[in-house]
Amino acid sequence: MPGGCSIRALWILNNFDAVVFSRRFPVVERWWREACKTENESCIEDPIKYNVLPLVPTDSELASAFAERKRREGSVRGFGVRVSQSTEGSDSWVDDPITRHVIGLYIDTEEGGENHLLWPLILHVKGPYCILVLPQVEPRHLKAYARLCKKSDCGNAVGVDDSLSSLLLDLPSITGAFMVAHAIGDIITGDVVEPEVVVSASPSVGGLLDSLTGSIGISGISSRAKPVAAPVASTAPSGAAAAGTVASDAPKLGSRPLEKDALRSFISSAMPFGTPVDLSYSNIFAIKVNGFPSSELPPQDLKQPAWKPYLYKGKQRLLFTIHETVHAAMYDRDEIPDSLSVSGQINCRAELEGMPDVSFPLTGLNSAHVEVLSFHPSAQVPEQGVDKQAVMFSPPLGNFVLMRYQAICGLGPPVKGFYQLSMVSEDEGAFLFKLCLMESYKAPLTMEFCNVTMLFPRRRVVSFDGTPSIGTVSNNEHSVEWKIMTSGRALTGRSLEATFPGTVKFAPWQTQRSSSGGTVDEDSDIETDNTNNVVNIEEFLMEKMNMDLPPVDLEEPFCWQAYNYAKVSFKIIGASISGMSIDPKSVSIYPAVKAPVEFSAQVTSGDYILWNTLGKCPSVATAKT
């Protein structure tokens, strides 16, 4: 099998299970047919050989098989584990959650005969589309999966090699296929953006990329937008915060119908003959519009990589931004521990002439307690110490993600405290917030803003009463927002305690009978419908939650037997909260050039939840030792 990743075919289906776009790669398919022929001739007595489909199915065959799998598995992604509804030969029979993302289809050919297994198909759901990518594997891998689909036991025994996870570890093409699926998904839904790189306030970036700004566009794709000034901050080596801009060269796409011509052009350039070369949307369409200028040929002793089609010309500098996202579930209960995690990435933009190599020691690995660490394909990581790791890379064009990681927040939660809410009557609730911001956080860490929002999706807020110790409060029909800190009142080098007691009044609770005998509130925008014919389990559960539940108790009438919580949003600049850092003075460039190195860091909130201490709340069960 050829090394690397090759794609046999890909399909895009809409929410009606109809194929709206497909692409096959005959070069890869020719290799597959030869491999199948060799495998079948060498294994005459192997009954699994009849499950090997030598040809890529037609669009109608694939759509029919996909719809049948969804019916059999209960939803688009399926169960993921073996349940009572699972049938032998199905993905859920394998009893591995990976089968929700790497699926198999049984193709019933138009000529008739027995079904043939098509595997592995990478499933990526993006907006209203389902993207299926079929990477190249060897026939023996397909047969191994076919055996897993027929095994008698469920689960994976410890130390047993015959499992789906061990099989996928032998298939690097799976990872490449996921990258292809995600790139296509971003393009067809208009979510193509480059990683954000925060730079200090200065004139336009300059160079070839700025000369292309606003000039790139094809049918159905909007032109590239200039970098937009934003009130973000960059940390100089001294640690002082200054106003800055966001450097980006990504085309900005809006929500629009599937553009097949744009997609065909991208696929032809990004993965010629089925082999992914460069999945960067910006690079591909920059080449399409501008071509390759002959005046920028590299020296003869250097080979210009495909992911860097243009050589930079202009003022040289190197930009790094650490962007971390904090996820938290705060309970304020003795029996449930709080959950706090950090996911981060290091974004980079190298405005360097030629094709230099950049290296630096990444510090903070020990203090950050990194759990997951991955690097850009252009990076090399030759050494690893206790608290630092040497990183060397040949930077590609434009903004890119150099590294992604998941870590533990050693400083504790940026916002901690509790949220309590109880109903004093059917239409009135009393609440109390008591929070502490930036406790144990020291300079240069600075909180730019912090908001807390109480959400009431099932009740209409009429009014609220209460005065917070700091900040302002506003409300709309289904929420109350407390702006503790707004832009211009940053919090640096000290903690802040904030309280907010009050009451909130709702419109009278009115219900009406649904067709199935349950009740549904008149404030809801959801239409009632008969769910007896719903096949999709996920949709069926949502329908039941929204329409057919009985009235809730007096204690929580606005939640409709759900959980109530407050959501926190904030932004912190100046440094990372995991301890991950880059010393600009330790960055070296070869061949040596005089290029300033700028480093910045920002932390934003993700799903940062304060669960109601007086109500119900979901939590993860911990194993007892």
Side-chain angles (χ1 to χ4, degrees), residues 24-102:
R24 295 160 178 78
F25 299 94
V27 173
V28 183
E29 195 60 18
R30 189 178 300 114
W31 184 94
W32 170 253
R33 289 196 298 268
E34 292 296 327
C36 289
K37 181 180 178 181
T38 302
E39 178 73 16
N40 291 334
E41 290 177 351
S42 61
C43 303
I44 300 177
E45 302 299 328
D46 188 355
I48 303 287
K49 72 174 184 177
Y50 298 109
N51 287 331
V52 176
L53 184 65
L55 299 175
V56 172
T58 63
D59 290 353
S60 60
E61 291 172 347
L62 183 121
S64 176
F66 186 75
E68 171 60 24
R69 179 192 180 276
K70 189 169 71 170
R71 184 200 62 78
R72 184 179 65 249
E73 292 287 327
S75 66
V76 172
R77 292 200 180 277
F79 301 111
V81 293
R82 189 182 296 188
V83 295
S84 58
Q85 296 94 324
S86 300
T87 58
E88 183 176 337
S90 65
D91 288 329
S92 58
W93 192 263
V94 179
D95 199 32
D96 195 313
I98 302 176
T99 57
R100 288 174 57 85
H101 307 278
V102 183

Side-chain angles (χ1 to χ4, degrees), residues 10-12 19-25 59 180 183-185 187-188 218-221 257-275 278-281 284-285 288:
L10 59 89
W11 297 266
I12 300 176
V19 176
V20 295
F21 180 88
S22 64
R23 176 65 186 270
R24 295 160 178 78
F25 299 94
D59 290 353
V180 171
I184 292 177
I187 291 174
I188 63 178
I218 62 172
S219 175
I221 301 296
L258 179 64
E259 294 290 345
K260 297 182 180 180
D261 290 340
L263 198 54
R264 291 190 187 97
S265 178
F266 172 79
I267 292 174
S268 298
S269 302
M271 40 195 302
F273 306 107
T275 301
D278 182 9
L279 297 176
S280 171
Y281 178 82
I284 295 302
F285 287 104
K288 177 180 177 64

Side-chain angles (χ1 to χ4, degrees), residues 329-347:
M330 313 298 290
Y331 298 95
D332 190 47
R333 302 188 185 194
D334 295 334
E335 68 276 15
I336 306 177
D338 294 339
S339 173
L340 186 67
S341 63
V342 177
S343 58
Q345 62 186 46
I346 298 180
N347 302 335

Side-chain angles (χ1 to χ4, degrees), residues 577-623:
I577 64 174
S578 67
M580 198 76 71
S581 181
I582 297 175
D583 183 5
K585 297 180 180 179
S586 66
V587 178
S588 61
I589 304 172
Y590 180 81
V593 296
K594 290 185 178 181
V597 179
E598 297 184 23
F599 170 75
S600 62
Q602 60 180 6
V603 182
T604 57
S605 57
D607 291 327
Y608 204 103
I609 303 299
L610 299 175
W611 290 104
N612 180 14
T613 307
L614 304 179
K616 298 178 181 179
C617 60
S619 62
V620 178
T622 56

Side-chain angles (χ1 to χ4, degrees), residues 147 269 334 454 552:
R147 286 191 290 269
S269 302
D334 295 334
M454 291 185 288
V552 294

Side-chain angles (χ1 to χ4, degrees), residues 229-243:
V232 291
S234 175
T235 303
S238 62

